[in-house]
Amino acid sequence: MKNIELIEIPKISDPRGNLAVIEKDILPFKIQRVYYLFDVPSDSYRGGHAHKELYQFLIPLAGSFDVVLKDGITEEKIMLNKPTKGLLIKPGVWRELANFSSGSVCLVLASEVYFEADYIRDYQEFLSYVKNN
Ligand code: T46
């Protein structure tokens, strides 16, 4: 699917513990906001929306979870389970997050501050939006 990309985060291996680093060239946007999902019950479902302008980079800092992605034509499910592999989601992609493992943490780097008007939270509205854009 276009508008999504799995990106490897450079890692510095060390017997004292590994270090992964995200510098500005890795992402196609300037980070304006950072948030994270934690203490997520395993039967919980998050997302269920798309964004009009927002770029986001999701990193499974701990544990694992599934991300279902829809662009109005195709659908893809990606399991994120490595803190050195993140998922870039560009605008116009519906996302649903589920199957969170115990203790999982999802870190999100975002291109804009929080702005509710950027969300499309209705799936039918999303389908019309992608058809017309
Ligand atoms: C996304 C997935 C991966 C804020 O006040 N500021 C924020 O930065 C965010 C992200 C949320 N909120 C408020 C809005 C809602 O009242 O927190 C509440 C929960 O947000 P939401 O239901 O959108 O949470 P998720 O986990 O379903 O979705 C979030 C992001 O909103 C979304 O952009 O892609 O994580």
Side-chain angles (χ1 to χ4, degrees):
M1 181 186 302
K2 69 179 176 76
N3 289 349
I4 63 162
E5 192 184 334
L6 279 166
I7 297 179
E8 200 73 41
I9 302 166
K11 179 178 82 173
I12 299 164
S13 300
D14 191 311
R16 297 173 299 166
N18 297 330
L19 185 156
V21 57
I22 298 167
E23 286 184 306
K24 59 179 187 174
D25 292 344
I26 258 196
L27 300 175
F29 61 86
K30 201 167 153 212
I31 299 163
Q32 299 285 5
R33 175 168 52 116
V34 176
Y35 64 90
Y36 42 96
L37 307 173
F38 62 103
D39 287 348
V40 184
S42 60
D43 59 353
S44 194
Y45 164 95
R46 309 226 37 146
H49 52 248
H51 287 280
K52 296 175 188 166
E53 305 286 343
L54 188 72
Y55 285 68
Q56 298 204 101
F57 187 56
L58 278 56
I59 306 161
L61 276 195
S64 65
F65 50 89
D66 291 337
V67 189
V68 173
L69 301 143
K70 300 176 186 175
D71 64 6
I73 299 166
T74 55
E75 178 174 332
E76 211 170 302
K77 179 153 95 175
I78 295 178
M79 182 202 244
L80 292 180
N81 60 1
K82 282 192 196 143
T84 52
K85 194 176 268 188
L87 175 66
L88 173 69
I89 309 178
K90 296 179 186 174
V93 179
W94 187 268
R95 82 287 315 265
E96 296 161 3
L97 281 67
N99 295 328
F100 288 86
S101 69
S102 167
S104 59
V105 178
C106 171
L107 179 74
V108 184
L109 310 180
S111 65
E112 306 292 340
V113 296
Y114 176 71
F115 184 44
E116 182 59 36
D118 187 67
Y119 284 74
I120 306 171
R121 294 189 183 269
D122 178 84
Y123 192 64
Q124 291 310 316
E125 194 189 317
F126 167 70
L127 291 177
S128 310
Y129 180 83
V130 287
K131 211 169 152 190
N132 297 319
N133 285 278

